[in-house]
């Protein structure tokens, strides 16, 4: 009976959590509608176009997947560190470091077949991001320096290093723009279905699955999550918390570096100055909406990818600025933070009352059944005495 009650309570908690997430999304859309109305644009005409641009056709869905791919990977970068109690705000810098390392490998490696050239460049992209994350991890483990401050500062370092490289040592000799030469075809991610959609979407989904297995199906994942819950207790239990701090931030940076290289190999095909529109920062929003869970990040990345894809269609059809999507995104983040840190007690109270009401109803039914049985027994007894 206790197991059934616990399972019912968990199911109700998930249902209430989903309801609060839906209310947060509705509130964000309402805020976007208010901004549209203030700008003289009808939300009733703009939002259908937004939906059409995000998922209204096969081409729209493909474009949503293209935009969701780097967001999923940077969301994994934040989520993986968060599970260890770390806040990796440096996915943007790690993304640039991964893009630089992968592009350099693609351009400088000798001619190789595609089955070898592409994986090597991909591994170099991951290594670049892992190195960038490992710097913050080493400072945290060795000197106790805040990983929040270090990762934020490393964002700027990564961005300016890439700017220097594409205007100097790696600049395309045949052009005047701040960019590298095009990477070899052997290092490009294959295009799918005759569109901009590329195989990087499968790389991102595979990374999400790997992150899930590492966190929830491995001994190392147990150590990570234990340190995230209480790192002092994890140390007392003999877990290598300091070493895991470095490794987790390296793994987190590896996901972000992979995002940078996938964007270059799948979309840009060359490293450009300021090629990222903020994928690293948007990954934080993806992680928050996905509950910092690798599989939850898939759904939230699709949502944000759809918003970005639909915003372009909305601007073409109604003249509404694509910045409205950032308004929706910002309000959604605020509401999600309120949901996570301020409304947790409210949700527990709702679930407790629902469980209590259900238990009371079951007790009432049991009481009625007991009274019915007792009455039948008395009647039987009276009947026997009369005979």
């Amino acid at each position: 009976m206790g197991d059934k009650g616990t399972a019912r309570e968990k199911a109700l908690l998930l249902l209430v959590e989903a309801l609060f997430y839906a209310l947060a999304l509705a509130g964000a859309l309402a805020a976007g509608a208010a901004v549209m109305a203030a700008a003289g644009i009808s939300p009733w005409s703009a939002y259908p176009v937004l939906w059409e641009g995000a998922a209204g056709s096969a081409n729209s869905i493909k474009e949503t997947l293209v935009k969701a791919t780097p967001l999923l990977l940077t969301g994994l970068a934040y989520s993986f560190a968060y599970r260890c109690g770390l806040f990796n705000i440096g996915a943007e810098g790690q993304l640039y470091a991964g893009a630089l390392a992968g592009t350099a490998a693609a351009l400088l490696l000798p001619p190789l077949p595609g089955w070898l050239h592409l994986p090597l460049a991909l591994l170099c992209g991951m290594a670049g991001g892992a190195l960038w994350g490992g710097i913050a991890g080493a400072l945290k483990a060795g000197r106790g320096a805040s990983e929040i401050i270090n990762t934020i500062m490393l964002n700027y370092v990564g961005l300016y290093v890439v700017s220097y490289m594409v205007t100097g040592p790696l600049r395309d000799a045949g052009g005047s723009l701040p960019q590298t030469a095009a990477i070899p075809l052997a290092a490009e991610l294959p295009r799918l279905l005759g569109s901009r959609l590329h195989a990087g979407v499968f790389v991102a989904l595979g990374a999400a699955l790997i992150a899930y297995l590492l966190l929830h199906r491995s001994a190392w994942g147990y150590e990570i999550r234990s340190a995230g819950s209480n790192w002092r207790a994890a140390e007392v239990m003999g877990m290598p918390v300091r070493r895991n701090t470095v490794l987790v931030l390296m793994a987190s940076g590896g996901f972000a570096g992979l995002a940078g290289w996938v964007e270059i190999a799948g979309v840009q095909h060359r490293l450009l100055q300021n090629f990222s529109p903020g994928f690293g920062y948007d990954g934080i929003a993806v992680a928050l909406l996905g509950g910092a869970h690798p599989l939850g990040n898939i759904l939230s990345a699709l949502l944000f990818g759809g918003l970005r894809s639909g915003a372009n269609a909305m601007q073409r059809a109604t003249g509404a600025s694509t910045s409205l999507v950032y308004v929706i995104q910002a309000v959604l983040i605020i509401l999600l933070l309120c949901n996570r840190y301020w409304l947790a007690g409210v949700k527990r109270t709702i679930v407790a009352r629902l469980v209590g009401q259900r238990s009371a109803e079951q007790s009432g039914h049991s009481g009625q059944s007991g009274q019915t049985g007792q009455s039948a027994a008395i009647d039987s007894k009276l009947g026997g005495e009369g005979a």
Side-chain angles (χ1 to χ4, degrees):
M1 186 70 178
D3 292 340
K4 291 182 179 179
T6 302
R8 186 185 303 115
E9 187 173 349
K10 288 181 178 179
L12 285 172
L13 186 59
L14 287 175
L15 183 62
V16 171
E17 191 73 30
L19 177 61
F20 273 73
Y21 271 87
L23 290 174
L25 179 58
L29 292 175
V35 174
M36 290 180 194
I41 298 169
S42 171
W44 301 107
S45 61
Y47 274 144
V49 177
L50 179 69
W51 169 258
E52 186 70 22
S57 66
N59 287 332
S60 298
I61 294 173
K62 293 172 190 175
E63 192 62 27
T64 293
L65 291 174
V66 169
K67 295 185 181 300
T69 296
L71 293 175
L72 173 55
L73 289 166
T74 54
L76 290 174
Y78 181 86
S79 297
F80 202 87
Y82 181 82
R83 288 298 178 180
C84 192
L86 301 169
F87 295 91
N88 179 13
I89 315 298
E92 186 76 357
Q94 294 150 15
L95 177 144
Y96 272 93
L100 175 61
T103 303
L107 293 175
L108 301 179
L109 283 173
L112 296 170
W115 61 268
L116 183 59
H117 203 145
L118 178 58
L120 285 176
L122 186 146
L123 289 174
C124 287
M126 289 184 64
L131 173 63
W132 222 243
I135 295 173
L139 290 171
K140 173 74 174 180
R143 309 296 298 177
S146 169
E147 78 280 4
I148 299 175
I149 296 174
N150 287 329
T151 51
I152 290 175
M153 291 192 298
L154 285 168
N155 283 337
Y156 296 99
V157 178
L159 192 150
Y160 290 125
V161 166
V162 169
S163 294
Y164 166 72
M165 296 299 288
V166 298
T167 55
L170 290 180
R171 180 175 176 176
D172 184 8
S176 58
L177 297 175
Q179 61 186 24
T180 67
I183 61 176
L185 289 176
E188 291 183 6
L189 286 165
R191 293 289 181 91
L192 305 175
L193 305 174
S195 65
R196 290 201 334 136
L197 181 62
H198 53 81
V201 65
F202 298 116
V203 175
L205 291 173
L209 179 60
I210 290 172
Y212 170 75
L213 293 175
L214 285 175
L215 285 173
H216 298 278
R217 293 292 185 271
S218 71
W220 186 49
Y222 175 75
E223 291 181 358
I224 292 172
R225 290 183 288 111
S226 298
S229 299
N230 190 326
W231 67 270
R232 291 186 182 276
E235 275 192 331
V236 170
M237 293 172 64
M239 296 180 184
V241 175
R242 294 181 184 274
R243 184 184 71 187
N244 283 341
T245 296
V246 179
L247 293 178
V248 165
L249 281 173
M250 289 184 68
S252 176
F255 286 122
L258 185 58
W261 171 240
V262 163
E263 182 68 10
I264 297 301
V267 178
Q268 308 292 348
H269 299 151
R270 66 176 75 224
L271 181 60
L272 302 92
Q273 189 178 38
N274 301 323
F275 73 92
S276 170
F279 290 131
Y281 300 111
D282 290 340
I284 299 174
V286 169
L288 289 173
L289 181 59
H293 191 286
L295 302 184
N297 285 0
I298 297 175
L299 298 177
S300 56
L302 288 173
L303 172 62
F304 283 108
L307 286 175
R308 285 177 174 246
S309 178
N312 296 328
M314 184 176 66
Q315 184 178 43
R316 290 192 299 268
T318 66
S321 172
T322 55
S323 300
L324 284 170
V325 167
Y326 293 101
V327 173
I328 296 172
Q329 183 173 306
V331 174
L332 183 58
I333 293 171
I334 294 171
L335 292 176
L336 287 175
L337 289 174
C338 293
N339 178 36
R340 180 177 293 273
Y341 295 107
W342 291 355
L343 300 179
V346 175
K347 289 182 286 188
R348 284 196 296 268
T349 301
I350 293 173
V351 171
R353 288 184 177 179
L354 290 173
V355 171
Q357 183 179 1
R358 179 67 176 172
S359 299
E361 290 175 355
Q362 290 180 345
S363 299
H365 288 306
S366 299
Q368 291 176 1
S369 300
Q371 289 177 358
T372 302
Q374 186 177 8
S375 299
I378 292 173
D379 291 342
S380 175
K381 183 177 181 181
L382 290 174
E385 290 176 354

